[in-house]
Amino acid sequence: MISQSTYRIEPWAVRESELDLERLAQAESLFALSNGHVGLRGNLDEGEPSGLPGTYLGGFWDTRPLPYAEAGYGDPEQGQMVVNVTDGKIIRLLVDDAPFDVRYGTLGRHERVLDLRAGTLQRELEWTTPARSTVSVRSTRVVSLVQRSIAAIRYEVQAHDQPVRVVVQSELVANERLPDSDRDPRAQGTQQADLLAVGHDASDLRALLVHRTAGSNLYLAAAMDHQLQTPLGAVHEVEAAGDVARMTVSARLEPGQSLVLVKFLAYGWSRERSEQALGDQVIAALTQARATGWDGLLDQQRAYLNSFWERGDVEVEGDAELQQAVRFSLFHVLQAAARAQQRAIAAKGLTGSGYDGHAFWDTESFVLPLLTYTLPQAAAEALRWRHSTLELASRRARELRLAGAAFPWRTIHGEESSGYWPAGMAAFHINADIAAAVERYTHATGDEQFEREVGLELLVQTARLWISLGHFTGDGHFRIDGVTGPDEYSAVADNNVYTNLMAKRNLAAAAAAAARQREAAVALGVAEDERAVWLEAADAMTIPFDERLGVHCQAEGFTDHARFDFAAAGPKSYPLMLHFPYFELYRKQVVKQADLVLAMLVCSDAFTPEQKLANFNYYEPLTVRDSSLSACTQAVIAAEVGYLELAHAYFREAALMDLDDLEHNVRNGLHIASLAGAWIAAVAGFGGMRDDGARLRFAPALPEEISRLRFRMLYQGSTMQVAIDRQQVIYTLLDGPELTLYHRDEACRLTVDQPLARPLALPVKRSKAPRQPPGREPRHQHRHAST
C-alpha cells in the first residue's frame, strides 16, 4: 500500500512533496492526464526513470493471439490490446553537459501537484549537477478537455547563482521499451505491440511521425510544435526519422535567467484515412492550439472544469481525506470519458495498460450512472459506441447459437477478447447491464431521439438474447441456466438472481420502448406477439429464494454449497484467484464481489426491506471483495439497512482504492469503476437516491464521521442540489424546469430558488454489523489533514 504520508490531504489537489522511486509506477497512474481520446501517464518529463511508460489513444488497439491448451468451439482466436503509442511527453535536459536524471547529482527538492480545478499536472524541482551547477525546473502539463486532440507542456529552466549552458531536447519517441508484465491476470498481456514507421516530417519547430499497427492496421499520427522564450544567442534545430523526432534548443543562462519552452502535441488515428490526410489532421490541430496559446488552453481547461464541478461536485464535511479522494475520483472518471466520443471507456481509462486496455460491464454499471447525472452527453456517447458494435455482437450471438446480440465480456473494438471460460464469456448479464444504462439515460434525460435512434435497438436485440438463452418450463416459469453472474467465483450457475432480475428489467424495458417507438420498432421487426413473449418471460422469471434460511439464493442451490474455509485460507491468500484453483472456488459459498447485494441496489423494488437486511447479513461474511467493484455496492446497501458506520468504511475504500493502492496493482492503471463507485456510495448510499424511471427518490442518512454531505446532479434538464446535515436535508432546484421528487415516500415539487427542507429521519438502530471474512474488513485507515 502507498504510505499514508505520501500525498498531502487537500480539498482540491493531490500533492507529492517527495519523489519515491520505489512507487514511481503508482504515481504515474495517479498523476495521469486524459480527456478520453488522449491519455498521458504521469511519467517524469525526462522519460527516465519510469515505472511504466504510457501514452494511449481511446480505441487504438492491436491484435494478439489467444492461445489455448485445448481450443473449444466459439473460443475467440484473437484478443485485443491497448498500444503504448508515440510518447510526446519527453523533454530531456542537459546542464553543462550533465544529463538531468533524478538518480544522479543532487535533487534538492521535488514536488508534483495534480490540480483538480485547473486540470493540470505541475512539477517543481531543484537539481545540482555533479559539477555543482544548480538549476530550477518548473513544468506544467495539460491534456485539453476542449481541444480533443491536444496536449501541451510548459517547461522552464532557470539558472541559480552561476552561469550555465543548457540544452533542452523535446522529443517524439515511438516503440519505447516496456517492462515485462507479471502473472497477475489483471495486468497487461505478455505480448507488446510494435508500431511500424510509415512517414515523418520536420521543419522549423515542428515535427511529425506516422506509424501503423501490424495486426489491426490502424494508422497513427503524432505531431509536436513549440514556442520558445530564450536569451539572445540561443539556437535550435529539428529532426525526424523512423521512431524519433527531436527539437533541440541550446542557450547560455546567466544567474536568474530562464529558458521557457511550450510544447504542443496533437494525436490522431484512423483505419480509413490516408497517411497524408491523418498528418494534415494533426498539423491542423496544432495550428489551432498554437492560435489558442498556452494561457488560452489553461483558461479553456479551467472553464470546462468549473462547469463540471458546478453540476457534479460532491462535498463531504467531517472527513477531509474522503473529501480529497472523492474529488480525485470524479476528476479521473471525467478524464476517462469527457471526449471519448464513441470509443470504449476502458476499465483503467487511459491511465495504464491493465486488463490490456479493455472495457467491461464496469462502464455501464458503475461509470455511466455517474455520467448520466453529471455529464449526460458522455453517457450517450458511450452507449452510441455500444450501438456501433451491434453487428459484431449479433455475429457473436449467431456463433453461440443465440438470437439478438451477445455483447463481449471484454473488448476494445467490439469483438470478444476474453480467453476465460466460464468466468468471463458466460457472463451474459453484460447485455442487461447495457440495457439498464440505456433505460437510465433515457429516463434521466428525456432524450427521445436517442431512444429512437440508439436505445430502442439496443433494448430489442438484448431482449431477444434472453428469450433464446432462457426457456419456459412446464409449470410456467422462465429459467436462465448456465451463466455467470457478477460473482466470478460462482460460474455456470442456474438462475443467478442478479442476471434474472436484470433480464426481467431488460425485457420489460424493451417492450415499453417498442410501444413508445412503434414505427422504429416495426422497422426492427418487432411484432406484438414478440412483445407479448417478452412480457410473459419477465413476469415468469425464476427468482430463487431459500425458505429455510429466509434469504435469496445468489443462484439456484448456492446456499446448499459448503462454506469456504476462510480461516484456513488465511489473510495472505487474497485475492483468492491467485492462490486457489477456480474449481475450489466455484463449488463453495464464497463471493468475489457483490452479486446478490448488487441486485438489491439496481433492482431495489424487487426486495422488501426485511429481505434486504436478511440478505445483507447472510452475504457479508461470504464476500471477500477480490474485485474493486464491490466496496461501493456494499456501502450503498449497508447504508440502506442501517449499518451506517460500515457504509462509511466501504465508501472510504471505494474512494481511496487508488490513492492508497488497496489492490496493490495501481501501477497498471486506476480502477475507474471504483472511482465512479465513490459517487455511487455518496449519492445512492448516504443520499439514498433511487431512480426507477417512474420517480426519483431520496432517503438520506449520515454516519457519525460525516457532518454534512452535499451533491449536485442533472435530471430531466434541471440542475438540483441535495444538502444533508445532522438535522435535515434541503433540496434545491438551481436551474431548469420544475421537478417532482420523492423524499422517502413523500412527493415534493421543486421550483427554482425555493429550497425545500425536510427533517433527516433517524437511522434504524441495528445490532452489531455482520463480520467480513477474516482479513477482509474494510480498509479505511485515516490520515491527518495537512494545512
Side-chain angles (χ1 to χ4, degrees):
M1 290 170 60
I2 293 175
S3 168
Q4 294 183 13
S5 61
T6 301
Y7 305 110
R8 288 175 49 184
I9 298 175
E10 304 176 44
W12 288 102
V14 177
R15 186 182 306 271
E16 177 194 67
S17 297
E18 294 182 3
L19 187 64
D20 182 354
L21 296 183
E22 296 299 315
R23 297 287 183 181
L24 199 55
Q26 289 90 333
E28 290 166 352
S29 296
L30 299 175
F31 289 148
L33 295 178
S34 170
N35 61 11
H37 175 63
V38 178
L40 309 181
R41 277 178 64 82
N43 305 113
L44 302 178
D45 298 294
E46 54 276 14
E48 298 177 8
S50 68
L52 176 66
T55 302
Y56 312 109
L57 297 180
F60 190 80
W61 56 282
D62 204 1
T63 59
R64 67 180 180 94
L66 291 175
Y68 302 92
E70 285 187 39
Y73 176 82
D75 290 344
E77 296 180 0
Q78 282 193 327
Q80 297 162 7
M81 57 182 173
V82 67
V83 178
N84 179 36
V85 302
T86 310
D87 190 352
K89 303 184 297 292
I90 297 175
I91 301 176
R92 305 191 199 274
L93 171 65
L94 286 83
V95 180
D96 290 339
D97 296 328
F100 169 51
D101 188 312
V102 296
R103 296 167 293 189
Y104 304 115
T106 302
L107 193 62
R109 66 183 178 90
H110 190 283
E111 182 175 85
R112 289 189 289 179
V113 180
L114 181 66
D115 189 320
L116 306 178
R117 284 184 292 196
T120 58
L121 176 62
Q122 302 161 17
R123 183 189 187 199
E124 292 191 10
L125 62 94
E126 290 182 2
W127 182 67
T128 301
T129 71
R132 311 309 299 167
S133 298
T134 301
V135 295
S136 295
V137 176
R138 289 180 290 274
S139 72
T140 302
R141 185 182 298 175
V142 63
V143 174
S144 177
L145 295 164
V146 176
Q147 299 189 33
R148 183 172 184 251
S149 302
I150 296 298
I153 304 167
R154 185 184 187 276
Y155 190 90
E156 179 179 0
V157 186
Q158 185 179 50
H160 272 219
D161 53 4
Q162 64 187 67
V164 294
R165 170 68 63 178
V166 300
V167 178
V168 176
Q169 297 174 313
S170 173
E171 299 184 348
L172 295 172
V173 179
N175 291 314
E176 295 171 299
R177 181 181 177 183
L178 301 178
D180 294 334
S181 60
D182 54 42
R183 64 179 287 268
D184 190 331
R186 300 167 295 182
Q188 185 183 21
T190 55
Q191 184 180 5
Q192 296 174 358
D194 289 327
L195 293 169
L196 307 177
V198 297
H200 61 268
D201 187 34
S203 62
D204 194 21
L205 295 172
R206 190 173 69 196
L208 165 72
L209 295 179
V210 182
H211 287 77
R212 71 170 176 85
T213 56
S216 56
N217 202 35
L218 303 181
Y219 280 77
L220 154 73
M224 64 179 179
D225 204 346
H226 303 83
Q227 292 175 340
L228 299 176
Q229 298 175 27
T230 61
L232 292 175
V235 295
H236 73 268
E237 62 182 22
V238 64
E239 56 187 326
D243 287 345
V244 179
R246 181 181 299 112
M247 192 285 296
T248 304
V249 56
S250 175
R252 176 184 171 87
L253 301 181
E254 298 297 329
Q257 272 191 319
S258 295
L259 181 154
V260 179
L261 174 152
V262 176
K263 180 177 189 177
F264 299 97
L265 293 165
Y267 289 92
W269 69 268
S270 177
R271 173 176 276 170
E272 291 81 18
R273 305 192 73 197
S274 68
E275 171 192 338
Q276 181 65 45
L278 202 55
D280 289 346
Q281 173 187 325
V282 295
I283 295 301
L286 282 180
T287 301
Q288 181 182 11
R290 280 180 58 97
T292 304
W294 173 255
D295 290 340
L297 286 175
L298 293 189
D299 289 344
Q300 288 179 344
Q301 192 83 342
R302 186 173 286 272
Y304 186 101
L305 284 164
N306 283 346
S307 177
F308 173 74
W309 293 120
E310 285 172 2
R311 65 180 180 270
D313 190 21
V314 174
E315 298 175 69
V316 182
E317 294 184 11
D319 189 338
E321 184 183 31
L322 183 57
Q323 174 67 90
Q324 178 190 44
V326 168
R327 286 187 174 133
F328 171 86
S329 300
L330 292 171
F331 177 77
H332 271 293
V333 176
L334 171 68
Q335 287 201 127
R339 302 304 305 276
Q341 293 179 212
Q342 297 190 44
R343 302 295 181 194
I345 300 175
K348 300 292 185 181
L350 297 179
T351 67
S353 57
Y355 290 119
D356 279 327
H358 291 167
F360 297 76
W361 70 297
D362 309 18
T363 300
E364 284 78 16
S365 294
F366 296 90
V367 177
L368 293 199
L370 186 162
L371 295 178
T372 295
Y373 300 108
T374 60
L375 194 67
Q377 63 270 32
E381 289 298 302
L383 291 170
R384 288 183 186 277
W385 167 71
R386 284 292 190 188
H387 184 261
S388 74
T389 69
L390 250 177
E391 176 52 39
L392 295 172
S394 298
R395 187 184 309 166
R396 177 65 176 165
R398 293 192 295 271
E399 185 178 35
L400 297 176
R401 305 293 193 266
L402 298 170
F407 283 96
W409 179 240
R410 55 189 299 173
T411 189
I412 298 175
H413 182 253
E415 297 88 350
E416 178 62 77
S417 294
S418 175
Y420 294 101
W421 172 267
M425 287 187 285
F428 289 100
H429 68 81
I430 188 171
N431 274 43
D433 302 324
I434 293 167
V438 168
E439 184 186 13
R440 181 192 309 114
Y441 171 82
T442 304
H443 288 149
T445 64
D447 190 343
E448 293 185 5
Q449 181 179 354
F450 172 87
E451 181 180 65
R452 185 169 55 253
E453 296 177 352
V454 174
L456 176 65
E457 189 171 14
L458 286 170
L459 292 171
V460 165
Q461 298 299 354
T462 50
R464 286 170 172 164
L465 177 111
W466 297 117
I467 297 301
S468 64
L469 187 65
H471 67 280
F472 288 97
T473 64
D475 58 359
H477 290 92
F478 189 81
R479 299 175 57 90
I480 301 175
D481 296 329
V483 300
T484 301
D487 170 27
E488 295 159 19
Y489 288 169
S490 299
V492 194
D494 293 343
N495 293 307
N496 170 257
V497 170
Y498 176 87
T499 301
N500 283 21
L501 284 176
M502 291 293 283
K504 175 185 178 79
R505 176 176 171 178
N506 188 168
L507 291 162
R516 287 192 299 269
Q517 306 290 346
R518 291 188 179 277
E519 185 175 340
V522 169
L524 294 172
V526 179
E528 283 303 312
D529 58 347
E530 185 175 24
R531 286 185 64 251
V533 170
W534 294 346
L535 293 173
E536 182 185 0
D539 289 341
M541 192 67 67
T542 301
I543 309 297
F545 187 81
D546 188 325
E547 297 288 352
R548 174 178 55 90
L549 295 174
V551 299
H552 284 85
C553 306
Q554 179 175 283
E556 207 166 63
F558 180 85
T559 52
D560 293 327
H561 292 177
R563 289 209 170 201
F564 187 84
D565 192 342
F566 297 105
K572 293 185 178 180
S573 295
Y574 300 105
L576 295 178
M577 60 187 175
L578 300 184
H579 299 90
F580 289 87
Y582 272 106
F583 169 72
E584 179 68 7
L585 303 176
Y586 288 163
R587 65 195 190 98
K588 297 290 179 67
Q589 288 191 60
V590 54
V591 180
K592 179 181 180 183
Q593 65 201 62
D595 187 311
L596 191 282
V597 172
L598 178 60
M600 295 194 297
L601 168 58
V602 295
C603 299
S604 181
D605 291 345
F607 304 86
T608 67
E610 295 76 19
Q611 289 173 340
K612 289 179 181 179
L613 178 61
N615 287 338
F616 187 84
N617 287 340
Y618 186 86
Y619 286 95
E620 184 71 2
L622 305 179
T623 304
V624 295
R625 298 192 325 286
D626 282 351
S627 165
S628 63
L629 302 180
S630 197
C632 67
T633 301
Q634 288 169 275
V636 174
I637 302 303
E640 183 174 357
V641 301
Y643 299 129
L644 297 182
E645 309 316 313
L646 179 60
H648 177 238
Y650 280 136
F651 183 7
R652 289 178 55 81
E653 180 169 309
L656 288 162
M657 183 64 61
D658 292 323
L659 281 172
D660 282 355
D661 196 11
L662 298 179
E663 292 285 335
H664 309 292
N665 63 352
V666 76
R667 61 170 288 115
N668 298 313
L670 303 182
H671 299 81
I672 299 300
S674 181
L675 299 183
W679 182 90
I680 293 172
V683 174
F686 294 121
M689 189 271 280
R690 301 290 186 273
D691 180 7
D692 63 7
R695 61 179 189 167
L696 180 68
R697 184 172 65 89
F698 297 88
L702 288 183
E704 289 295 326
E705 295 92 337
I706 297 177
S707 58
R708 191 166 186 260
L709 175 69
R710 183 166 65 181
F711 58 86
R712 295 180 176 186
M713 56 183 285
L714 301 175
Y715 188 73
Q716 296 183 352
S718 298
T719 305
M720 62 177 297
Q721 177 178 280
V722 181
I724 310 162
D725 62 26
R726 298 275 185 224
Q727 287 75 41
Q728 63 180 356
V729 54
I730 300 176
Y731 303 100
T732 305
L733 183 63
L734 301 176
D735 62 55
E738 294 182 357
L739 280 180
T740 296
L741 59 81
Y742 286 78
H743 173 75
R744 299 191 180 273
D745 292 321
E746 176 194 358
C748 303
R749 189 69 176 169
L750 281 189
T751 58
V752 173
D753 297 328
Q754 292 185 351
L756 182 67
R758 288 293 182 268
L760 192 68
L762 293 175
V764 176
K765 295 294 184 181
R766 297 290 183 201
S767 57
K768 191 175 181 180
R771 299 290 298 271
Q772 295 72 41
R776 297 312 269 174
E777 298 79 12
R779 295 159 289 183
H780 62 106
Q781 295 175 324
H782 283 265
R783 289 187 273 144
H784 296 291
S786 301
T787 57

